[in-house]
Amino acid sequence: MPQGSVLGPLLFAMYISPMSNVVAAHGLCYHQYADDTQPYMFIRPRSATDPFRTLSLCVDDVCRWFRENRLPLNPSKTEAVLFGTRIQRDKVPTSGGIDVAGTLVPFCDKVKLLGVTFDSALSMDQHVTEVVCSCNYHVRSLRHIQPLLTPDVSKMLAHSIVTSRLDHANALLSGTINGNLNRLQVAQNSLARVVCQASHSASTIELRWQLHWLPI
């Protein structure tokens, strides 16, 4: 089937569905979105000399299944991450990495999944930093062309290029520190001032009320 066809995603999901049996045979869980698969496991610090042996064996079997079904697996696009507190992570040996198709994959401090950056401590600090930087970039761009836009077009662009980034997967920010929420609120306040063509000292509470925007 050609890429981009209507039946392509459904047929591809059916084609690789038996891979779940390979992962389940090792007692691991996994998440899958299109051709992006993430097996994961729970480990206890210092519970074994090689806590990732089960994961390595599972990956070997998955690679074998891929070869048998004529699907390429690119180790250079494979990442590994260990989530936990700093004290817990220090107790787990990660210097050896994980062997994937003959390639040693080192552990990263962060990974990006479906547009969300997860750091090893799950603090969401890095994700918020990247969202704020992206929003500020587009707010500055919108400010340059704001005098040429009508109010309706300005609101539409604000939602499509900035608000969509603030809303994406925002449920994952539940429980994060107030500092991260405040940084996102500052980005939204800047956007509100640009859309309403208000000064930097204007009250954003009134501006958000006019735009019918909820705070972060």
Side-chain angles (χ1 to χ4, degrees), residues 68-87:
E68 293 173 354
N69 291 272
R70 300 181 181 181
L71 290 173
L73 189 146
N74 192 347
S76 62
K77 294 184 178 180
T78 302
E79 296 178 309
V81 63
L82 179 65
F83 295 114
T85 64
R86 182 182 60 81
I87 297 177

Side-chain angles (χ1 to χ4, degrees), residues 128 132 177-189 216:
V128 172
V132 170
I177 60 176
N178 291 330
N180 285 335
L181 299 181
N182 293 336
R183 294 162 63 193
L184 296 173
Q185 186 63 65
V186 170
Q188 188 194 48
N189 293 344
I216 297 297

